[in-house]
Every structure is written in C-alpha cells, then in structure tokens.
C-alpha cells in the first residue's frame, strides 16, 4: 500500500466513485499510514494530475472499453495509468508493467484486461487525441454544465480560465508581518534554496513548490501557505486594534491568522465542523496568535452569540469553489449543477442570520471562492434589496472587476463584497 500508484488510484476512486473530497481523503490517508515524504509527494502529484485531466482520461477509457468496468475499482488504476502514459515522461513499458502488476494483486483476473487497455491506448493515442477536440468535457477537462456557465458569464475569458485551472497552481506564501519583513523573508527563502518573487503586499510566490517540512520559517510562524487571492480578505475587512471581530466560517484558519497578524483583535473564529476547527487552532498556535474558537452553526446565533455586537464580520461563505478548481480539481467532478441552488440558499441563510449581529457603522465582508454570479454579485444585489440599512462599499483588489477576481497564473478566483451597516 506504500506504492504511490496504488495510493493515487485509491484517492481517485474515493473522489470519482465514492464522491468524497480529495482533501479529506488525503488527511485520512495521512493519519492512517506512515508514508515516506517522497512517496507522499509522488502520490499527490499522480492523484491531482489524474483528477485535473479526468475529463480527457475518462473519454479515453470510454473509447478503449466498450462496457462498464468490472470490478469498478479498476477505474483508479486505469486512470492513473492513462495519466502517466498521456502526460508524464515515465517510459510506457514501465507504466504498463507496474500498473498491471499492482492491479492484479487486488484483482488477479483483471491482469490481461488492464494490460490490453493500456497497451491499446499506447498504440492509438494519436487518433484518440484527435477525437478529444470534438468532445468539450474531454477537451477542457470540466463538466459540460460548468463550461456552459463559464461561457455564458465570461464569453471573452472562459477559455483562459479553464486553461489556467488545468495547470499546476503556484505555491504562494503569506509573510507574517509581526515576525518578518517581506523583502527579508524573500532573501531568507532564496538562501535556503526556495527562490520566489513578491506578488502582493504580504505575498511571495515560489518558483517551485517545496514540501512544507522543508519550508524555512514555516514551523516558527514566519510564513503561512495561502493563495494570493485569498490574502485580500483580511485587509479588505479593514480591522483595527481592539475591534470585536467574527470570522464566521473560519476553518482551516488562513484568513483567521491573517486578521490577527493585522491587528490585536477580540476575535471569534467560528466553524460548524469541530474537527476542521482544530486546523484553525494548529495554525494559530504555530503563528503564536490566539482567538476564541467555537464549533457552531453561524446561521443559528441564538446557540452561541452573547448579544455583544461585532464591529467586523468576515463571511467566507460555502460555495461551488469554482474559482479554486485548479487547486482542488476534485471539486469540478463532485459538484453538480443542481448543487448551486442549495448553496445559494445557505449563503442567504448565513447573510440574514449574521447581519443583525453587526453594530451600526460596522462592516461585513462577504467572500466566496466562486466565479458564478448567482453566488456572488447576484447574492449581494438581492441582499441589498432586502436591507435598507446596508450599503456596498467600492473595493478594488488588484486585477478585480467589481470585487470579482478571475483565476490567473498567480492567483485563484475569488469574489469580495464589503457591506457597511448604516
């Protein structure tokens, strides 16, 4: 089980067959097994690479196998094998031989079948590659309903969006200004063999990703891993020392930590998942910061609120995560078109429940990692129509348009709207 191909196949099955989050599956696998760092890195590269290209790979498989797979869990082995043959420099004979051997250990009767599928692909790859262009999901590696929305909302940008999100995302750090200067941190990283460039007020994007354990300054709290787009949340909330602040959907704690780096705050970090809230605690301990952590539903303040109003509220609302599909490629295969309505209802529920908790003159930042207008500008327009005591303030994160950041090579996609309570 310590073979990267086996582990990656298991993770791919967890997402595509069991319909479970890759992040959660990775965390559970890491907790259950002692795996060498190099094996773990290879496993993640194979799993993420396979899921980024799953539209293309599943199309290949449909052309190579004219019937449902039996046993069904051969899917992971075959997709990982096809990914290696299609997108890596590993010699074809090595990929085929080891994939066949590993699959046969679990399913001895499938040995000749797996061998035939992979060798057939190797022979027919040029023809199959030409066929991909005629099938949108295979060509762009996104579900058709997702592509339809992107084309409708971003007719001039949708191709660039999906191209960026099909590439390996950058590794970006947030420098803790309480402990280090950004220029000094950049020098320290370069000296340690981790060169990069400054991409934001607190951001350094590394030239090449490195394992967290090898990242200088991470364990001491000098830097955190956080995408450039996500780093705009804390400054846009405009916190100041002494403010009472609510981070309403806090886990895993990246934005919580950034808020506390920017000011000495009376901050409550709230999340409905007690397990994920432990991630917030771990992040804050590493940074040497503290907050009150509460495991509760932000949409039911009667169960946790002490009736003291907040001066600032960050609502990082649950959404389709369509802006971070490059970093979380499982999301595009787990989400369905019908999920949008349920997510929009949840966003509305949270906005309505939290607005009364904000004092007059206070500000709420509504944030999503979505590209879809229904979750973003549409949600805010409807909220303003319902609340005469709410006013939207103009904000302009670099590269954004009316609060919407599109994915680019340096950043994921995000949406921000700052609401003032008049």
């Amino acid at each position: 089980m310590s073979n990267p191909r086996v582990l990656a196949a298991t993770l791919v099955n967890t997402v595509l067959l069991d319909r479970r989050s890759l992040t959660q599956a990775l965390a559970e696998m890491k907790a259950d097994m002692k795996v060498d760092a190099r094996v773990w890195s290879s496993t993640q590269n194979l799993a993420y690479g396979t899921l980024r290209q799953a539209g293309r790979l599943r199309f290949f498989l449909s052309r190579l196998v004219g019937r449902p797979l039996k046993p069904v869990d051969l899917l992971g082995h075959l997709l990982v094998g096809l990914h290696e043959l299609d997108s890596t420099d590993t010699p074809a004979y090595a990929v085929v031989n080891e994939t066949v051997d590993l699959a046969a250990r679990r399913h001895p009767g499938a040995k000749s079948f797996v061998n035939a599928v992979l060798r057939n692909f190797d022979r027919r790859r040029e023809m199959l590659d030409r066929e991909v262009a005629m099938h949108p999901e295979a060509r762009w590696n996104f579900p058709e309903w997702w592509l339809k929305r992107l084309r409708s909302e971003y007719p001039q940008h949708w191709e660039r969006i999906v191209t960026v999100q099909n590439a390996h995302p950058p590794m970006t750090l947030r420098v803790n200004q309480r402990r280090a200067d950004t220029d000094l941190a950049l020098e320290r990283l370069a000296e340690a063999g981790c060169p990069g460039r400054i991409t934001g007020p607190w951001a350094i994007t590394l030239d090449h990703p490195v394992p967290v354990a090898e990242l200088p300054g991470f364990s001491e709290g000098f830097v955190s891993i956080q995408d450039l787009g996500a780093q705009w949340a804390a400054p846009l909330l405009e916190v100041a020392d002494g403010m009472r602040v609510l981070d309403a959907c806090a886990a895993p704690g990246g934005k919580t930590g950034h808020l506390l780096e920017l000011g000495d705050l009376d901050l409550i970090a709230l999340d409905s998942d007690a397990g994920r809230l432990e991630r917030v605690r771990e992040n804050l301990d590493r940074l040497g910061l503290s907050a009150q952590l509460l495991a509760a539903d932000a949409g039911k303040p009667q169960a946790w609120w002490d009736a003291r109003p907040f001066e600032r509220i960050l609502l990082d609302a649950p959404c389709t995560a369509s802006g971070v599909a490059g970093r979380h490629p499982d999301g595009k295969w787990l989400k369905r078109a019908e999920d949008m309505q349920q997510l929009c209802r949840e966003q509305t529920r949270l906005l309505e429940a939290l607005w009364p908790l904000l004092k007059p003159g206070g500000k709420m930042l509504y944030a999503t990692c979505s590209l879809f207008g229904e979750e973003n500008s549409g949600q805010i327009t409807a909220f303003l129509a319902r609340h005469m005591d709410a006013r939207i303030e103009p904000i302009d994160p670099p590269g954004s348009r009316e609060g919407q950041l599109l994915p680019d090579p340096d950043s994921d996609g995000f949406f921000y709207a700052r609401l003032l309570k008049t």
Side-chain angles (χ1 to χ4, degrees), residues 75 89 141 152 155 179 206 308-309 334 343 393 401-402 405 415:
L75 179 70
D89 297 327
N141 284 298
S152 173
R179 299 199 176 187
L206 299 182
R308 295 167 54 210
L334 292 174
L343 287 164
E393 293 192 329
R401 181 177 179 181
E402 297 180 344
L405 281 163
F415 173 79

Side-chain angles (χ1 to χ4, degrees), residues 97-358:
N97 290 345
E98 186 163 358
T99 303
V100 168
D101 179 59
L102 294 171
R105 292 182 193 180
R106 184 173 179 85
H107 301 293
K111 185 173 183 177
S112 59
F113 170 73
V114 173
N115 182 67
V117 170
L118 296 181
R119 292 191 184 280
N120 196 15
F121 170 76
D122 201 34
R123 287 192 298 269
R124 298 171 56 191
R125 67 167 65 198
E126 289 186 13
M127 182 194 72
L128 290 169
D129 202 41
R130 288 194 297 270
E131 290 183 23
V132 160
M134 297 179 286
H135 299 269
E137 187 167 306
R139 179 182 179 186
W140 299 108
N141 284 298
F142 277 83
E144 288 200 34
W145 73 267
W146 195 304
L147 290 170
K148 185 178 179 180
R149 273 190 174 270
L150 288 178
R151 287 193 192 101
S152 173
E153 297 190 33
Y154 303 101
Q156 297 179 343
H157 303 288
W158 73 270
E159 287 192 27
R160 184 169 184 269
I161 289 170
V162 297
T163 300
V164 166
Q165 291 191 319
N166 281 329
H168 197 292
M171 185 175 188
T172 300
L173 311 179
R174 184 188 76 241
V175 179
N176 183 353
Q177 298 293 315
R178 288 177 177 260
R179 299 199 176 187
D181 173 82
T182 307
D183 290 316
L184 198 61
L186 185 66
E187 290 180 20
R188 183 180 176 186
L189 287 162
E191 289 169 0
C194 304
R197 57 198 168 85
I198 295 175
T199 48
W202 306 270
I204 294 175
T205 298
L206 299 182
D207 292 350
H208 307 285
V210 298
V212 174
E214 299 174 17
L215 193 59
F218 180 81
S219 60
E220 302 96 325
F222 284 84
V223 295
S224 299
I225 300 170
Q226 188 180 37
D227 178 75
L228 176 60
Q231 290 190 32
W232 289 108
L236 287 173
L237 195 55
E238 295 185 333
V239 296
D241 289 352
M243 280 186 172
R244 181 168 164 81
V245 179
L246 173 66
D247 186 354
C249 300
K255 298 179 182 69
T256 313
H258 197 184
L259 285 167
L260 291 166
E261 290 170 9
L262 296 180
D264 294 318
L265 310 174
D266 175 14
L267 187 145
I268 294 178
L270 189 75
D271 201 271
S272 59
D273 188 326
R276 279 170 50 82
L277 205 59
E278 280 304 307
R279 291 278 307 281
V280 180
R281 190 184 309 279
E282 291 167 7
N283 275 318
L284 295 184
D285 288 347
R286 181 179 57 80
L287 294 168
L289 300 168
S290 61
Q292 182 182 356
L293 273 58
L294 292 178
D297 180 354
K300 296 179 179 178
Q302 64 275 15
W304 56 267
W305 186 45
D306 62 5
R308 295 167 54 210
F310 295 97
E311 292 162 277
R312 297 287 187 270
I313 295 177
L314 171 60
L315 172 55
D316 189 3
C319 65
T320 55
S322 49
V324 295
R327 198 169 302 278
H328 300 284
D330 55 320
K332 59 187 177 181
W333 308 117
L334 292 174
K335 296 290 192 307
R336 297 187 172 109
E338 54 268 28
D339 294 336
M340 180 81 73
Q341 296 307 312
Q342 189 276 328
L343 287 164
C344 286
R345 286 193 294 270
E346 179 66 3
Q347 293 153 9
T348 300
R349 184 180 77 93
L350 292 171
L351 279 164
E352 293 299 319
L354 294 175
W355 188 248
L357 280 54
L358 188 67

Side-chain angles (χ1 to χ4, degrees), residues 368-409:
T368 76
C369 53
S370 174
L371 303 176
F372 299 143
E374 193 172 343
E375 301 181 280
N376 297 340
S377 57
Q379 191 68 258
I380 295 303
T381 298
F383 179 82
L384 292 171
R386 295 192 301 269
H387 292 272
M388 296 301 103
D389 61 345
R391 188 177 78 214
I392 190 166
E393 293 192 329
I395 55 175
D396 191 23
S400 72
R401 181 177 179 181
E402 297 180 344
Q404 181 71 66
L405 281 163
L406 297 183
D408 65 33

